[in-house]
């Protein structure tokens, strides 16, 4: 018995050719994959680019965190300075006493230096 002009159980020429073409295509893909793995220079370049990008991402993240921290502490320092300014305005005597002591110290140092 025959099916489509071929004996039963035997593939026709077109089927064989299609199988051969498919095998060639698969073999070509396999060869390309092996060639890519064997291309050490290209793989090294890819790894370098990957590492560069990873470092860029980490730098961007660290920069963002540093900016946030600086902003936070900048506001904190400004608030503390404002509080100190208000305390000095309410009670200027301690600041005046420190200033007077500094002037006295400078005067004493000038007198000692002139005696030499």
């Amino acid at each position: 018995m025959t099916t489509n002009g071929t004996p039963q159980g035997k593939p026709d020429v077109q089927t064989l050719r299609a199988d051969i073409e498919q095998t060639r295509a698969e073999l070509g893909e396999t060869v390309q994959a092996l060639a890519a793995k064997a291309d050490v220079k290209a793989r090294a370049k890819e790894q370098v680019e990957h590492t560069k990008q990873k470092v860029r991402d980490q730098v961007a993240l660290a920069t963002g965190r540093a900016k946030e921290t600086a902003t936070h502490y900048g506001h904190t320092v400004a608030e503390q300075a404002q509080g100190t300014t208000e305390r000095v305005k309410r009670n200027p005597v301690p600041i005046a006493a420190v200033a007077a002591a500094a002037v006295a110290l400078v005067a004493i140092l000038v007198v000692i230096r002139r005696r030499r």
Side-chain angles (χ1 to χ4, degrees), residues 35-103:
K37 283 189 175 189
D39 190 357
V40 176
K41 188 175 180 180
R43 291 180 70 200
K45 283 183 181 181
E46 287 176 11
Q47 186 62 35
V48 166
E49 289 304 317
H50 175 73
T51 302
K52 282 182 184 179
Q53 187 58 46
K54 189 174 178 181
V55 169
R56 284 184 198 114
D57 293 344
Q58 290 174 345
V59 166
L61 181 64
T63 301
R65 287 181 182 164
K67 285 180 181 179
E68 288 174 12
T69 302
T71 301
H72 170 73
Y73 284 111
H75 291 304
T76 301
V77 168
E79 290 168 1
Q80 290 176 351
Q82 181 65 29
T84 302
T85 303
E86 290 174 11
R87 283 193 298 269
V88 168
K89 285 180 181 177
R90 281 183 279 161
N91 188 8
V93 175
I95 297 297
V98 170
V103 169

Side-chain angles (χ1 to χ4, degrees), residues 98-114:
V98 170
V103 169
L105 180 63
V106 168
I108 292 171
L109 290 174
V110 168
V111 170
I112 292 173
R113 191 164 221 188
R114 285 189 180 179

